[in-house]
Amino acid sequence: GAGVSQSPSNKVTEKGKDVELRCDPISGHTALYWYRQSLGQGLEFLIYFQGNSAPDKSGLPSDRFSAERTGGSVSTLTIQRTQQEDSAVYLCASSLVVRANYGYTFGSGTRLTVV
Amino acid sequence: AQSVTQPDIHITVSEGASLELRCNYSYGATPYLFWYVQSPGQGLQLLLKYFSGDTLVQGIKGFEAEFKRSQSSFNLRKPSVHWSDAAEYFCAVGAGSGGYNKLIFGAGTRLAVHP
């Protein structure tokens, strides 16, 4: 696609429910990144993919968070048993390759609210 | 570990005034440095980046930034601010193996512009 697409754009869920957030990167981009943006906290790195592999998942906050990427394209971030502190904007970005100097293209994010 | 500090959480300037947003980084080698802007309801957009060479880099929308190794700084400047520059600005440093694999962001500076 022309840009990075994320869905849904907004998600309200009840505490304890599972949620799935989707990211569709730019076609041909091998690198895909997930960040979390909490109010006043800046962007927190979660995980990145090179193809379908995740060499660095050091930013995932707990084992309730997981992510996968299939076909070198779409990625899904899953949060199990959501908690109120999971409320944030989840941003996805893609890059042609895993090199910071190539620059990232960000999606518009998914705003997750846990009530 | 690599880190980025943006000391100013919120800045207000008058339209037409000059602007400087501060950024300090922590990184052992020559860093890859970036400035992104996030306008309300928009995704993050790359303003400029520094990898090597001339320490004064020009970006889009009339912005520039200067890399100062002795001060571990990469401050963003604009000579004359426009109302449309009101947004949140993020400084980032390349991190991971060789500084290549991911970006670490600061907490952001929110810019308000008075008419």
Side-chain angles (χ1 to χ4, degrees):
Chain A
V4 177
S5 178
Q6 291 188 247
S7 61
S9 55
N10 280 284
K11 176 71 175 179
V12 179
T13 190
E14 292 181 353
K15 178 181 173 180
K17 299 282 191 182
D18 297 352
V19 295
E20 286 189 350
L21 312 180
R22 176 188 169 105
C23 174
D24 199 343
I26 292 174
S27 178
H29 279 196
T30 61
L32 186 148
Y33 304 81
W34 284 99
Y35 285 83
R36 179 168 70 174
Q37 185 176 19
S38 305
L39 194 61
Q41 296 295 314
L43 276 77
E44 175 188 13
F45 169 80
L46 298 179
I47 185 172
Y48 86 83
F49 289 90
Q50 182 171 8
N52 293 335
S53 301
D56 187 344
K57 54 181 78 173
S58 62
L60 294 177
S62 73
D63 58 8
R64 295 186 296 104
F65 287 72
S66 63
E68 66 174 9
R69 188 179 185 194
T70 56
S73 181
V74 172
S75 176
T76 302
L77 178 69
T78 300
I79 309 173
Q80 296 179 310
R81 305 181 302 282
T82 52
Q83 303 294 313
Q84 287 187 329
E85 60 263 28
D86 299 333
S87 296
V89 176
Y90 289 82
L91 292 168
C92 175
S94 70
S95 179
L96 189 61
V97 296
V98 177
R99 289 280 297 230
N101 58 323
Y102 271 72
Y104 297 177
T105 301
F106 281 86
S108 296
T110 293
R111 182 176 298 278
L112 175 66
T113 304
V114 182
V115 297
Chain B
Q2 298 93 341
S3 65
V4 176
T5 301
Q6 294 181 247
D8 305 304
I9 297 173
H10 193 275
I11 284 182
T12 300
V13 299
S14 298
E15 190 169 18
S18 63
L19 173 70
E20 182 169 31
L21 302 182
R22 296 184 291 165
C23 171
N24 293 98
Y25 66 89
S26 171
Y27 187 66
T30 299
Y32 289 175
L33 294 163
F34 305 78
W35 276 99
Y36 282 82
V37 60
Q38 185 178 38
S39 299
Q42 305 285 318
L44 277 85
Q45 180 182 22
L46 179 66
L47 281 176
L48 48 79
K49 56 189 177 183
Y50 170 80
F51 301 140
S52 64
D54 193 347
T55 57
L56 184 64
V57 293
Q58 303 296 320
I60 61 171
K61 305 184 179 186
F63 285 92
E64 66 178 27
E66 186 172 13
F67 170 60
K68 293 186 177 180
R69 183 188 300 276
S70 62
Q71 299 177 17
S72 297
S73 69
F74 188 58
N75 294 349
L76 182 71
R77 301 194 295 249
K78 187 170 185 178
S80 178
V81 170
H82 188 263
W83 64 266
S84 61
D85 294 324
E88 189 151 22
Y89 292 80
F90 293 93
C91 182
V93 64
S97 177
Y100 295 159
N101 295 356
K102 61 188 178 185
L103 295 183
I104 302 298
F105 287 83
T109 297
R110 184 168 295 278
L111 174 67
V113 180
H114 279 332

